[in-house]
Amino acid sequence: MAFAASAGSVTAEPAVNACPVDGCQIHFVSVEKADGELRLTLEANFKPDMSKNHIHVWWGDNFDVKQVSNNAETLYGVKRGVWHPTDEYPVYVTQSGASMKERRNATTLCVSAGDRNHDIIDPALFECRSVADLVK
């Protein structure tokens, strides 16, 4: 919890970007083609903010959820992968490490919540979506 002080009193305010009790979750609403990339419409139970909790987008056929984290090697003992961190929400167009140019033969896009250090918050909370019909 964050605290705000005013004129001799202290009141509790909810942390704007803390994860809810059930964890920071992101779900695909839709995926469409968009000028050589993919436009994802997402639904999250938190407000993505790059300086706090945000979204990691990656090609799931290329990397495991534990690899799309700055602490992949130190915490999980796996080689760090490639992803794109973003707070573009609810609509995100693939770019950078999540770009169509970076997919190789991958046909599955994934999303999960990352923290301000670009570490995956909970490797059990991620969602992947097949986009095979859109990358032909």
mmCIF file with all atom_site columns, all heavy atoms in Angstrom, residues 82-110:
data_model
loop_
_atom_site.group_PDB
_atom_site.id
_atom_site.type_symbol
_atom_site.label_atom_id
_atom_site.label_alt_id
_atom_site.label_comp_id
_atom_site.label_asym_id
_atom_site.label_entity_id
_atom_site.label_seq_id
_atom_site.pdbx_PDB_ins_code
_atom_site.Cartn_x
_atom_site.Cartn_y
_atom_site.Cartn_z
_atom_site.occupancy
_atom_site.B_iso_or_equiv
_atom_site.pdbx_formal_charge
_atom_site.auth_seq_id
_atom_site.auth_comp_id
_atom_site.auth_asym_id
_atom_site.auth_atom_id
_atom_site.pdbx_PDB_model_num
ATOM 1   N N   . VAL A 1 82  ? 14.011 -13.409 -25.947 1.00 0.00 ? 82  VAL A N   1
ATOM 2   C CA  . VAL A 1 82  ? 13.702 -12.117 -26.564 1.00 0.00 ? 82  VAL A CA  1
ATOM 3   C C   . VAL A 1 82  ? 12.206 -11.860 -26.429 1.00 0.00 ? 82  VAL A C   1
ATOM 4   O O   . VAL A 1 82  ? 11.394 -12.737 -26.732 1.00 0.00 ? 82  VAL A O   1
ATOM 5   C CB  . VAL A 1 82  ? 14.110 -12.119 -28.053 1.00 0.00 ? 82  VAL A CB  1
ATOM 6   C CG1 . VAL A 1 82  ? 13.725 -10.808 -28.718 1.00 0.00 ? 82  VAL A CG1 1
ATOM 7   C CG2 . VAL A 1 82  ? 15.599 -12.383 -28.191 1.00 0.00 ? 82  VAL A CG2 1
ATOM 8   N N   . TRP A 1 83  ? 11.861 -10.663 -25.975 1.00 0.00 ? 83  TRP A N   1
ATOM 9   C CA  . TRP A 1 83  ? 10.473 -10.263 -25.832 1.00 0.00 ? 83  TRP A CA  1
ATOM 10  C C   . TRP A 1 83  ? 10.388 -8.764  -26.042 1.00 0.00 ? 83  TRP A C   1
ATOM 11  O O   . TRP A 1 83  ? 11.391 -8.084  -26.161 1.00 0.00 ? 83  TRP A O   1
ATOM 12  C CB  . TRP A 1 83  ? 9.945  -10.634 -24.437 1.00 0.00 ? 83  TRP A CB  1
ATOM 13  C CG  . TRP A 1 83  ? 10.518 -9.825  -23.322 1.00 0.00 ? 83  TRP A CG  1
ATOM 14  C CD1 . TRP A 1 83  ? 10.000 -8.682  -22.785 1.00 0.00 ? 83  TRP A CD1 1
ATOM 15  C CD2 . TRP A 1 83  ? 11.733 -10.074 -22.592 1.00 0.00 ? 83  TRP A CD2 1
ATOM 16  N NE1 . TRP A 1 83  ? 10.801 -8.214  -21.766 1.00 0.00 ? 83  TRP A NE1 1
ATOM 17  C CE2 . TRP A 1 83  ? 11.880 -9.050  -21.626 1.00 0.00 ? 83  TRP A CE2 1
ATOM 18  C CE3 . TRP A 1 83  ? 12.713 -11.057 -22.649 1.00 0.00 ? 83  TRP A CE3 1
ATOM 19  C CZ2 . TRP A 1 83  ? 12.953 -8.991  -20.742 1.00 0.00 ? 83  TRP A CZ2 1
ATOM 20  C CZ3 . TRP A 1 83  ? 13.777 -10.991 -21.767 1.00 0.00 ? 83  TRP A CZ3 1
ATOM 21  C CH2 . TRP A 1 83  ? 13.889 -9.976  -20.833 1.00 0.00 ? 83  TRP A CH2 1
ATOM 22  N N   . HIS A 1 84  ? 9.166  -8.249  -26.077 1.00 0.00 ? 84  HIS A N   1
ATOM 23  C CA  . HIS A 1 84  ? 8.979  -6.809  -26.139 1.00 0.00 ? 84  HIS A CA  1
ATOM 24  C C   . HIS A 1 84  ? 8.151  -6.384  -24.932 1.00 0.00 ? 84  HIS A C   1
ATOM 25  O O   . HIS A 1 84  ? 7.015  -6.839  -24.764 1.00 0.00 ? 84  HIS A O   1
ATOM 26  C CB  . HIS A 1 84  ? 8.271  -6.396  -27.430 1.00 0.00 ? 84  HIS A CB  1
ATOM 27  C CG  . HIS A 1 84  ? 8.172  -4.914  -27.556 1.00 0.00 ? 84  HIS A CG  1
ATOM 28  N ND1 . HIS A 1 84  ? 6.981  -4.252  -27.678 1.00 0.00 ? 84  HIS A ND1 1
ATOM 29  C CD2 . HIS A 1 84  ? 9.133  -3.947  -27.544 1.00 0.00 ? 84  HIS A CD2 1
ATOM 30  C CE1 . HIS A 1 84  ? 7.212  -2.942  -27.742 1.00 0.00 ? 84  HIS A CE1 1
ATOM 31  N NE2 . HIS A 1 84  ? 8.499  -2.741  -27.660 1.00 0.00 ? 84  HIS A NE2 1
ATOM 32  N N   . PRO A 1 85  ? 8.708  -5.510  -24.074 1.00 0.00 ? 85  PRO A N   1
ATOM 33  C CA  . PRO A 1 85  ? 7.932  -4.979  -22.955 1.00 0.00 ? 85  PRO A CA  1
ATOM 34  C C   . PRO A 1 85  ? 7.103  -3.795  -23.444 1.00 0.00 ? 85  PRO A C   1
ATOM 35  O O   . PRO A 1 85  ? 7.570  -2.985  -24.237 1.00 0.00 ? 85  PRO A O   1
ATOM 36  C CB  . PRO A 1 85  ? 9.009  -4.525  -21.973 1.00 0.00 ? 85  PRO A CB  1
ATOM 37  C CG  . PRO A 1 85  ? 10.174 -4.168  -22.842 1.00 0.00 ? 85  PRO A CG  1
ATOM 38  C CD  . PRO A 1 85  ? 10.107 -5.091  -24.030 1.00 0.00 ? 85  PRO A CD  1
ATOM 39  N N   . THR A 1 86  ? 5.872  -3.708  -22.955 1.00 0.00 ? 86  THR A N   1
ATOM 40  C CA  . THR A 1 86  ? 5.011  -2.619  -23.418 1.00 0.00 ? 86  THR A CA  1
ATOM 41  C C   . THR A 1 86  ? 3.969  -2.254  -22.378 1.00 0.00 ? 86  THR A C   1
ATOM 42  O O   . THR A 1 86  ? 3.593  -3.079  -21.547 1.00 0.00 ? 86  THR A O   1
ATOM 43  C CB  . THR A 1 86  ? 4.303  -2.999  -24.742 1.00 0.00 ? 86  THR A CB  1
ATOM 44  O OG1 . THR A 1 86  ? 3.586  -1.871  -25.236 1.00 0.00 ? 86  THR A OG1 1
ATOM 45  C CG2 . THR A 1 86  ? 3.355  -4.167  -24.565 1.00 0.00 ? 86  THR A CG2 1
ATOM 46  N N   . ASP A 1 87  ? 3.510  -1.014  -22.469 1.00 0.00 ? 87  ASP A N   1
ATOM 47  C CA  . ASP A 1 87  ? 2.335  -0.607  -21.707 1.00 0.00 ? 87  ASP A CA  1
ATOM 48  C C   . ASP A 1 87  ? 1.259  -0.098  -22.663 1.00 0.00 ? 87  ASP A C   1
ATOM 49  O O   . ASP A 1 87  ? 0.296  0.535   -22.262 1.00 0.00 ? 87  ASP A O   1
ATOM 50  C CB  . ASP A 1 87  ? 2.678  0.432   -20.635 1.00 0.00 ? 87  ASP A CB  1
ATOM 51  C CG  . ASP A 1 87  ? 3.298  1.707   -21.194 1.00 0.00 ? 87  ASP A CG  1
ATOM 52  O OD1 . ASP A 1 87  ? 3.411  1.848   -22.437 1.00 0.00 ? 87  ASP A OD1 1
ATOM 53  O OD2 . ASP A 1 87  ? 3.687  2.566   -20.385 1.00 0.00 ? 87  ASP A OD2 1
ATOM 54  N N   . GLU A 1 88  ? 1.447  -0.405  -23.959 1.00 0.00 ? 88  GLU A N   1
ATOM 55  C CA  . GLU A 1 88  ? 0.423  -0.064  -24.952 1.00 0.00 ? 88  GLU A CA  1
ATOM 56  C C   . GLU A 1 88  ? -0.766 -0.981  -24.685 1.00 0.00 ? 88  GLU A C   1
ATOM 57  O O   . GLU A 1 88  ? -0.659 -2.200  -24.839 1.00 0.00 ? 88  GLU A O   1
ATOM 58  C CB  . GLU A 1 88  ? 0.954  -0.257  -26.370 1.00 0.00 ? 88  GLU A CB  1
ATOM 59  C CG  . GLU A 1 88  ? 2.050  0.723   -26.720 1.00 0.00 ? 88  GLU A CG  1
ATOM 60  C CD  . GLU A 1 88  ? 2.634  0.486   -28.100 1.00 0.00 ? 88  GLU A CD  1
ATOM 61  O OE1 . GLU A 1 88  ? 1.931  -0.057  -28.976 1.00 0.00 ? 88  GLU A OE1 1
ATOM 62  O OE2 . GLU A 1 88  ? 3.807  0.827   -28.291 1.00 0.00 ? 88  GLU A OE2 1
ATOM 63  N N   . TYR A 1 89  ? -1.872 -0.381  -24.303 1.00 0.00 ? 89  TYR A N   1
ATOM 64  C CA  . TYR A 1 89  ? -3.009 -1.163  -23.841 1.00 0.00 ? 89  TYR A CA  1
ATOM 65  C C   . TYR A 1 89  ? -4.287 -0.366  -24.018 1.00 0.00 ? 89  TYR A C   1
ATOM 66  O O   . TYR A 1 89  ? -4.278 0.831   -23.772 1.00 0.00 ? 89  TYR A O   1
ATOM 67  C CB  . TYR A 1 89  ? -2.796 -1.494  -22.353 1.00 0.00 ? 89  TYR A CB  1
ATOM 68  C CG  . TYR A 1 89  ? -3.939 -2.229  -21.717 1.00 0.00 ? 89  TYR A CG  1
ATOM 69  C CD1 . TYR A 1 89  ? -4.070 -3.597  -21.874 1.00 0.00 ? 89  TYR A CD1 1
ATOM 70  C CD2 . TYR A 1 89  ? -4.912 -1.549  -20.983 1.00 0.00 ? 89  TYR A CD2 1
ATOM 71  C CE1 . TYR A 1 89  ? -5.135 -4.278  -21.299 1.00 0.00 ? 89  TYR A CE1 1
ATOM 72  C CE2 . TYR A 1 89  ? -5.977 -2.223  -20.412 1.00 0.00 ? 89  TYR A CE2 1
ATOM 73  C CZ  . TYR A 1 89  ? -6.079 -3.588  -20.572 1.00 0.00 ? 89  TYR A CZ  1
ATOM 74  O OH  . TYR A 1 89  ? -7.122 -4.264  -20.024 1.00 0.00 ? 89  TYR A OH  1
ATOM 75  N N   . PRO A 1 90  ? -5.354 -0.943  -24.453 1.00 0.00 ? 90  PRO A N   1
ATOM 76  C CA  . PRO A 1 90  ? -5.611 -2.363  -24.674 1.00 0.00 ? 90  PRO A CA  1
ATOM 77  C C   . PRO A 1 90  ? -5.187 -2.878  -26.043 1.00 0.00 ? 90  PRO A C   1
ATOM 78  O O   . PRO A 1 90  ? -5.209 -4.072  -26.284 1.00 0.00 ? 90  PRO A O   1
ATOM 79  C CB  . PRO A 1 90  ? -7.124 -2.474  -24.503 1.00 0.00 ? 90  PRO A CB  1
ATOM 80  C CG  . PRO A 1 90  ? -7.649 -1.157  -25.002 1.00 0.00 ? 90  PRO A CG  1
ATOM 81  C CD  . PRO A 1 90  ? -6.595 -0.147  -24.588 1.00 0.00 ? 90  PRO A CD  1
ATOM 82  N N   . VAL A 1 91  ? -4.779 -1.964  -26.944 1.00 0.00 ? 91  VAL A N   1
ATOM 83  C CA  . VAL A 1 91  ? -4.359 -2.397  -28.279 1.00 0.00 ? 91  VAL A CA  1
ATOM 84  C C   . VAL A 1 91  ? -2.850 -2.279  -28.407 1.00 0.00 ? 91  VAL A C   1
ATOM 85  O O   . VAL A 1 91  ? -2.269 -1.246  -28.066 1.00 0.00 ? 91  VAL A O   1
ATOM 86  C CB  . VAL A 1 91  ? -5.063 -1.579  -29.382 1.00 0.00 ? 91  VAL A CB  1
ATOM 87  C CG1 . VAL A 1 91  ? -4.555 -1.972  -30.757 1.00 0.00 ? 91  VAL A CG1 1
ATOM 88  C CG2 . VAL A 1 91  ? -6.576 -1.756  -29.304 1.00 0.00 ? 91  VAL A CG2 1
ATOM 89  N N   . TYR A 1 92  ? -2.224 -3.333  -28.876 1.00 0.00 ? 92  TYR A N   1
ATOM 90  C CA  . TYR A 1 92  ? -0.776 -3.393  -29.059 1.00 0.00 ? 92  TYR A CA  1
ATOM 91  C C   . TYR A 1 92  ? -0.514 -3.982  -30.433 1.00 0.00 ? 92  TYR A C   1
ATOM 92  O O   . TYR A 1 92  ? -1.126 -4.985  -30.811 1.00 0.00 ? 92  TYR A O   1
ATOM 93  C CB  . TYR A 1 92  ? -0.141 -4.281  -27.974 1.00 0.00 ? 92  TYR A CB  1
ATOM 94  C CG  . TYR A 1 92  ? 1.273  -4.697  -28.283 1.00 0.00 ? 92  TYR A CG  1
ATOM 95  C CD1 . TYR A 1 92  ? 2.332  -3.839  -28.035 1.00 0.00 ? 92  TYR A CD1 1
ATOM 96  C CD2 . TYR A 1 92  ? 1.543  -5.943  -28.838 1.00 0.00 ? 92  TYR A CD2 1
ATOM 97  C CE1 . TYR A 1 92  ? 3.637  -4.210  -28.321 1.00 0.00 ? 92  TYR A CE1 1
ATOM 98  C CE2 . TYR A 1 92  ? 2.851  -6.322  -29.130 1.00 0.00 ? 92  TYR A CE2 1
ATOM 99  C CZ  . TYR A 1 92  ? 3.888  -5.460  -28.877 1.00 0.00 ? 92  TYR A CZ  1
ATOM 100 O OH  . TYR A 1 92  ? 5.174  -5.823  -29.170 1.00 0.00 ? 92  TYR A OH  1
ATOM 101 N N   . VAL A 1 93  ? 0.405  -3.372  -31.194 1.00 0.00 ? 93  VAL A N   1
ATOM 102 C CA  . VAL A 1 93  ? 0.819  -3.902  -32.490 1.00 0.00 ? 93  VAL A CA  1
ATOM 103 C C   . VAL A 1 93  ? 2.222  -4.468  -32.327 1.00 0.00 ? 93  VAL A C   1
ATOM 104 O O   . VAL A 1 93  ? 3.109  -3.789  -31.782 1.00 0.00 ? 93  VAL A O   1
ATOM 105 C CB  . VAL A 1 93  ? 0.776  -2.817  -33.590 1.00 0.00 ? 93  VAL A CB  1
ATOM 106 C CG1 . VAL A 1 93  ? 1.297  -3.375  -34.910 1.00 0.00 ? 93  VAL A CG1 1
ATOM 107 C CG2 . VAL A 1 93  ? -0.653 -2.292  -33.759 1.00 0.00 ? 93  VAL A CG2 1
ATOM 108 N N   . THR A 1 94  ? 2.418  -5.704  -32.767 1.00 0.00 ? 94  THR A N   1
ATOM 109 C CA  . THR A 1 94  ? 3.708  -6.370  -32.586 1.00 0.00 ? 94  THR A CA  1
ATOM 110 C C   . THR A 1 94  ? 4.841  -5.527  -33.142 1.00 0.00 ? 94  THR A C   1
ATOM 111 O O   . THR A 1 94  ? 4.712  -4.886  -34.187 1.00 0.00 ? 94  THR A O   1
ATOM 112 C CB  . THR A 1 94  ? 3.720  -7.765  -33.235 1.00 0.00 ? 94  THR A CB  1
ATOM 113 O OG1 . THR A 1 94  ? 3.340  -7.660  -34.610 1.00 0.00 ? 94  THR A OG1 1
ATOM 114 C CG2 . THR A 1 94  ? 2.786  -8.720  -32.505 1.00 0.00 ? 94  THR A CG2 1
ATOM 115 N N   . GLN A 1 95  ? 5.959  -5.542  -32.412 1.00 0.00 ? 95  GLN A N   1
ATOM 116 C CA  . GLN A 1 95  ? 7.139  -4.758  -32.771 1.00 0.00 ? 95  GLN A CA  1
ATOM 117 C C   . GLN A 1 95  ? 8.344  -5.307  -32.024 1.00 0.00 ? 95  GLN A C   1
ATOM 118 O O   . GLN A 1 95  ? 8.198  -6.157  -31.147 1.00 0.00 ? 95  GLN A O   1
ATOM 119 C CB  . GLN A 1 95  ? 6.919  -3.282  -32.436 1.00 0.00 ? 95  GLN A CB  1
ATOM 120 C CG  . GLN A 1 95  ? 6.561  -3.055  -30.983 1.00 0.00 ? 95  GLN A CG  1
ATOM 121 C CD  . GLN A 1 95  ? 6.093  -1.647  -30.716 1.00 0.00 ? 95  GLN A CD  1
ATOM 122 O OE1 . GLN A 1 95  ? 6.909  -0.741  -30.696 1.00 0.00 ? 95  GLN A OE1 1
ATOM 123 N NE2 . GLN A 1 95  ? 4.794  -1.469  -30.512 1.00 0.00 ? 95  GLN A NE2 1
ATOM 124 N N   . SER A 1 96  ? 9.505  -4.829  -32.360 1.00 0.00 ? 96  SER A N   1
ATOM 125 C CA  . SER A 1 96  ? 10.741 -5.196  -31.681 1.00 0.00 ? 96  SER A CA  1
ATOM 126 C C   . SER A 1 96  ? 10.864 -6.718  -31.576 1.00 0.00 ? 96  SER A C   1
ATOM 127 O O   . SER A 1 96  ? 10.697 -7.411  -32.568 1.00 0.00 ? 96  SER A O   1
ATOM 128 C CB  . SER A 1 96  ? 10.788 -4.496  -30.319 1.00 0.00 ? 96  SER A CB  1
ATOM 129 O OG  . SER A 1 96  ? 12.030 -4.696  -29.704 1.00 0.00 ? 96  SER A OG  1
ATOM 130 N N   . GLY A 1 97  ? 11.117 -7.261  -30.390 1.00 0.00 ? 97  GLY A N   1
ATOM 131 C CA  . GLY A 1 97  ? 11.289 -8.701  -30.216 1.00 0.00 ? 97  GLY A CA  1
ATOM 132 C C   . GLY A 1 97  ? 10.048 -9.515  -30.482 1.00 0.00 ? 97  GLY A C   1
ATOM 133 O O   . GLY A 1 97  ? 10.116 -10.726 -30.695 1.00 0.00 ? 97  GLY A O   1
ATOM 134 N N   . ALA A 1 98  ? 8.882  -8.873  -30.503 1.00 0.00 ? 98  ALA A N   1
ATOM 135 C CA  . ALA A 1 98  ? 7.622  -9.556  -30.794 1.00 0.00 ? 98  ALA A CA  1
ATOM 136 C C   . ALA A 1 98  ? 7.172  -9.327  -32.238 1.00 0.00 ? 98  ALA A C   1
ATOM 137 O O   . ALA A 1 98  ? 6.093  -9.751  -32.628 1.00 0.00 ? 98  ALA A O   1
ATOM 138 C CB  . ALA A 1 98  ? 6.534  -9.089  -29.835 1.00 0.00 ? 98  ALA A CB  1
ATOM 139 N N   . SER A 1 99  ? 8.021  -8.677  -33.029 1.00 0.00 ? 99  SER A N   1
ATOM 140 C CA  . SER A 1 99  ? 7.685  -8.365  -34.419 1.00 0.00 ? 99  SER A CA  1
ATOM 141 C C   . SER A 1 99  ? 7.557  -9.629  -35.274 1.00 0.00 ? 99  SER A C   1
ATOM 142 O O   . SER A 1 99  ? 8.182  -10.654 -34.987 1.00 0.00 ? 99  SER A O   1
ATOM 143 C CB  . SER A 1 99  ? 8.778  -7.470  -35.015 1.00 0.00 ? 99  SER A CB  1
ATOM 144 O OG  . SER A 1 99  ? 8.595  -7.315  -36.404 1.00 0.00 ? 99  SER A OG  1
ATOM 145 N N   . MET A 1 100 ? 6.789  -9.534  -36.329 1.00 0.00 ? 100 MET A N   1
ATOM 146 C CA  . MET A 1 100 ? 6.673  -10.633 -37.299 1.00 0.00 ? 100 MET A CA  1
ATOM 147 C C   . MET A 1 100 ? 8.055  -10.961 -37.872 1.00 0.00 ? 100 MET A C   1
ATOM 148 O O   . MET A 1 100 ? 8.335  -12.108 -38.188 1.00 0.00 ? 100 MET A O   1
ATOM 149 C CB  . MET A 1 100 ? 5.710  -10.249 -38.424 1.00 0.00 ? 100 MET A CB  1
ATOM 150 C CG  . MET A 1 100 ? 4.263  -10.177 -37.977 1.00 0.00 ? 100 MET A CG  1
ATOM 151 S SD  . MET A 1 100 ? 3.519  -11.791 -37.807 1.00 0.00 ? 100 MET A SD  1
ATOM 152 C CE  . MET A 1 100 ? 3.272  -12.196 -39.532 1.00 0.00 ? 100 MET A CE  1
ATOM 153 N N   . LYS A 1 101 ? 8.915  -9.968  -37.975 1.00 0.00 ? 101 LYS A N   1
ATOM 154 C CA  . LYS A 1 101 ? 10.261 -10.179 -38.524 1.00 0.00 ? 101 LYS A CA  1
ATOM 155 C C   . LYS A 1 101 ? 11.123 -11.033 -37.604 1.00 0.00 ? 101 LYS A C   1
ATOM 156 O O   . LYS A 1 101 ? 12.117 -11.602 -38.024 1.00 0.00 ? 101 LYS A O   1
ATOM 157 C CB  . LYS A 1 101 ? 10.945 -8.825  -38.759 1.00 0.00 ? 101 LYS A CB  1
ATOM 158 C CG  . LYS A 1 101 ? 10.239 -7.956  -39.774 1.00 0.00 ? 101 LYS A CG  1
ATOM 159 C CD  . LYS A 1 101 ? 10.881 -6.578  -39.833 1.00 0.00 ? 101 LYS A CD  1
ATOM 160 C CE  . LYS A 1 101 ? 10.108 -5.650  -40.704 1.00 0.00 ? 101 LYS A CE  1
ATOM 161 N NZ  . LYS A 1 101 ? 9.049  -4.919  -40.013 1.00 0.00 ? 101 LYS A NZ  1
ATOM 162 N N   . GLU A 1 102 ? 10.763 -11.112 -36.336 1.00 0.00 ? 102 GLU A N   1
ATOM 163 C CA  . GLU A 1 102 ? 11.543 -11.852 -35.342 1.00 0.00 ? 102 GLU A CA  1
ATOM 164 C C   . GLU A 1 102 ? 10.967 -13.234 -35.030 1.00 0.00 ? 102 GLU A C   1
ATOM 165 O O   . GLU A 1 102 ? 11.532 -13.961 -34.239 1.00 0.00 ? 102 GLU A O   1
ATOM 166 C CB  . GLU A 1 102 ? 11.621 -11.046 -34.034 1.00 0.00 ? 102 GLU A CB  1
ATOM 167 C CG  . GLU A 1 102 ? 12.281 -9.703  -34.183 1.00 0.00 ? 102 GLU A CG  1
ATOM 168 C CD  . GLU A 1 102 ? 13.723 -9.804  -34.606 1.00 0.00 ? 102 GLU A CD  1
ATOM 169 O OE1 . GLU A 1 102 ? 14.428 -10.713 -34.133 1.00 0.00 ? 102 GLU A OE1 1
ATOM 170 O OE2 . GLU A 1 102 ? 14.159 -8.964  -35.427 1.00 0.00 ? 102 GLU A OE2 1
ATOM 171 N N   . ARG A 1 103 ? 9.875  -13.600 -35.654 1.00 0.00 ? 103 ARG A N   1
ATOM 172 C CA  . ARG A 1 103 ? 9.167  -14.816 -35.249 1.00 0.00 ? 103 ARG A CA  1
ATOM 173 C C   . ARG A 1 103 ? 9.815  -16.111 -35.717 1.00 0.00 ? 103 ARG A C   1
ATOM 174 O O   . ARG A 1 103 ? 9.536  -17.169 -35.177 1.00 0.00 ? 103 ARG A O   1
ATOM 175 C CB  . ARG A 1 103 ? 7.711  -14.776 -35.700 1.00 0.00 ? 103 ARG A CB  1
ATOM 176 C CG  . ARG A 1 103 ? 7.514  -15.034 -37.170 1.00 0.00 ? 103 ARG A CG  1
ATOM 177 C CD  . ARG A 1 103 ? 6.029  -15.050 -37.519 1.00 0.00 ? 103 ARG A CD  1
ATOM 178 N NE  . ARG A 1 103 ? 5.835  -15.420 -38.884 1.00 0.00 ? 103 ARG A NE  1
ATOM 179 C CZ  . ARG A 1 103 ? 5.706  -16.659 -39.316 1.00 0.00 ? 103 ARG A CZ  1
ATOM 180 N NH1 . ARG A 1 103 ? 5.718  -17.665 -38.484 1.00 0.00 ? 103 ARG A NH1 1
ATOM 181 N NH2 . ARG A 1 103 ? 5.561  -16.905 -40.604 1.00 0.00 ? 103 ARG A NH2 1
ATOM 182 N N   . ARG A 1 104 ? 10.706 -16.036 -36.706 1.00 0.00 ? 104 ARG A N   1
ATOM 183 C CA  . ARG A 1 104 ? 11.254 -17.241 -37.338 1.00 0.00 ? 104 ARG A CA  1
ATOM 184 C C   . ARG A 1 104 ? 10.081 -18.087 -37.816 1.00 0.00 ? 104 ARG A C   1
ATOM 185 O O   . ARG A 1 104 ? 9.294  -17.604 -38.611 1.00 0.00 ? 104 ARG A O   1
ATOM 186 C CB  . ARG A 1 104 ? 12.198 -17.983 -36.408 1.00 0.00 ? 104 ARG A CB  1
ATOM 187 C CG  . ARG A 1 104 ? 13.424 -17.151 -36.048 1.00 0.00 ? 104 ARG A CG  1
ATOM 188 C CD  . ARG A 1 104 ? 14.350 -17.853 -35.148 1.00 0.00 ? 104 ARG A CD  1
ATOM 189 N NE  . ARG A 1 104 ? 13.858 -17.794 -33.772 1.00 0.00 ? 104 ARG A NE  1
ATOM 190 C CZ  . ARG A 1 104 ? 14.565 -18.054 -32.718 1.00 0.00 ? 104 ARG A CZ  1
ATOM 191 N NH1 . ARG A 1 104 ? 15.812 -18.444 -32.838 1.00 0.00 ? 104 ARG A NH1 1
ATOM 192 N NH2 . ARG A 1 104 ? 14.061 -17.966 -31.527 1.00 0.00 ? 104 ARG A NH2 1
ATOM 193 N N   . ASN A 1 105 ? 9.925  -19.316 -37.343 1.00 0.00 ? 105 ASN A N   1
ATOM 194 C CA  . ASN A 1 105 ? 8.796  -20.159 -37.761 1.00 0.00 ? 105 ASN A CA  1
ATOM 195 C C   . ASN A 1 105 ? 7.697  -20.215 -36.712 1.00 0.00 ? 105 ASN A C   1
ATOM 196 O O   . ASN A 1 105 ? 6.779  -21.029 -36.816 1.00 0.00 ? 105 ASN A O   1
ATOM 197 C CB  . ASN A 1 105 ? 9.292  -21.580 -38.058 1.00 0.00 ? 105 ASN A CB  1
ATOM 198 C CG  . ASN A 1 105 ? 10.183 -21.613 -39.278 1.00 0.00 ? 105 ASN A CG  1
ATOM 199 O OD1 . ASN A 1 105 ? 9.949  -20.891 -40.243 1.00 0.00 ? 105 ASN A OD1 1
ATOM 200 N ND2 . ASN A 1 105 ? 11.227 -22.423 -39.231 1.00 0.00 ? 105 ASN A ND2 1
ATOM 201 N N   . ALA A 1 106 ? 7.781  -19.376 -35.704 1.00 0.00 ? 106 ALA A N   1
ATOM 202 C CA  . ALA A 1 106 ? 6.807  -19.402 -34.609 1.00 0.00 ? 106 ALA A CA  1
ATOM 203 C C   . ALA A 1 106 ? 5.411  -19.025 -35.092 1.00 0.00 ? 106 ALA A C   1
ATOM 204 O O   . ALA A 1 106 ? 5.255  -18.194 -35.989 1.00 0.00 ? 106 ALA A O   1
ATOM 205 C CB  . ALA A 1 106 ? 7.247  -18.451 -33.497 1.00 0.00 ? 106 ALA A CB  1
ATOM 206 N N   . THR A 1 107 ? 4.420  -19.650 -34.486 1.00 0.00 ? 107 THR A N   1
ATOM 207 C CA  . THR A 1 107 ? 3.017  -19.365 -34.812 1.00 0.00 ? 107 THR A CA  1
ATOM 208 C C   . THR A 1 107 ? 2.182  -19.111 -33.559 1.00 0.00 ? 107 THR A C   1
ATOM 209 O O   . THR A 1 107 ? 0.965  -19.111 -33.624 1.00 0.00 ? 107 THR A O   1
ATOM 210 C CB  . THR A 1 107 ? 2.400  -20.533 -35.611 1.00 0.00 ? 107 THR A CB  1
ATOM 211 O OG1 . THR A 1 107 ? 2.487  -21.727 -34.823 1.00 0.00 ? 107 THR A OG1 1
ATOM 212 C CG2 . THR A 1 107 ? 3.107  -20.727 -36.943 1.00 0.00 ? 107 THR A CG2 1
ATOM 213 N N   . THR A 1 108 ? 2.864  -18.906 -32.432 1.00 0.00 ? 108 THR A N   1
ATOM 214 C CA  . THR A 1 108 ? 2.164  -18.695 -31.164 1.00 0.00 ? 108 THR A CA  1
ATOM 215 C C   . THR A 1 108 ? 2.709  -17.447 -30.472 1.00 0.00 ? 108 THR A C   1
ATOM 216 O O   . THR A 1 108 ? 3.907  -17.336 -30.248 1.00 0.00 ? 108 THR A O   1
ATOM 217 C CB  . THR A 1 108 ? 2.364  -19.907 -30.227 1.00 0.00 ? 108 THR A CB  1
ATOM 218 O OG1 . THR A 1 108 ? 1.927  -21.085 -30.905 1.00 0.00 ? 108 THR A OG1 1
ATOM 219 C CG2 . THR A 1 108 ? 1.582  -19.741 -28.950 1.00 0.00 ? 108 THR A CG2 1
ATOM 220 N N   . LEU A 1 109 ? 1.824  -16.520 -30.159 1.00 0.00 ? 109 LEU A N   1
ATOM 221 C CA  . LEU A 1 109 ? 2.190  -15.321 -29.398 1.00 0.00 ? 109 LEU A CA  1
ATOM 222 C C   . LEU A 1 109 ? 1.768  -15.506 -27.952 1.00 0.00 ? 109 LEU A C   1
ATOM 223 O O   . LEU A 1 109 ? 0.734  -16.117 -27.673 1.00 0.00 ? 109 LEU A O   1
ATOM 224 C CB  . LEU A 1 109 ? 1.470  -14.090 -29.954 1.00 0.00 ? 109 LEU A CB  1
ATOM 225 C CG  . LEU A 1 109 ? 2.172  -13.316 -31.049 1.00 0.00 ? 109 LEU A CG  1
ATOM 226 C CD1 . LEU A 1 109 ? 1.258  -12.218 -31.579 1.00 0.00 ? 109 LEU A CD1 1
ATOM 227 C CD2 . LEU A 1 109 ? 3.476  -12.726 -30.567 1.00 0.00 ? 109 LEU A CD2 1
ATOM 228 N N   . CYS A 1 110 ? 2.581  -14.970 -27.038 1.00 0.00 ? 110 CYS A N   1
ATOM 229 C CA  . CYS A 1 110 ? 2.286  -15.086 -25.611 1.00 0.00 ? 110 CYS A CA  1
ATOM 230 C C   . CYS A 1 110 ? 2.399  -13.730 -24.923 1.00 0.00 ? 110 CYS A C   1
ATOM 231 O O   . CYS A 1 110 ? 3.126  -12.851 -25.395 1.00 0.00 ? 110 CYS A O   1
ATOM 232 C CB  . CYS A 1 110 ? 3.260  -16.053 -24.941 1.00 0.00 ? 110 CYS A CB  1
ATOM 233 S SG  . CYS A 1 110 ? 3.219  -17.728 -25.617 1.00 0.00 ? 110 CYS A SG  1
#
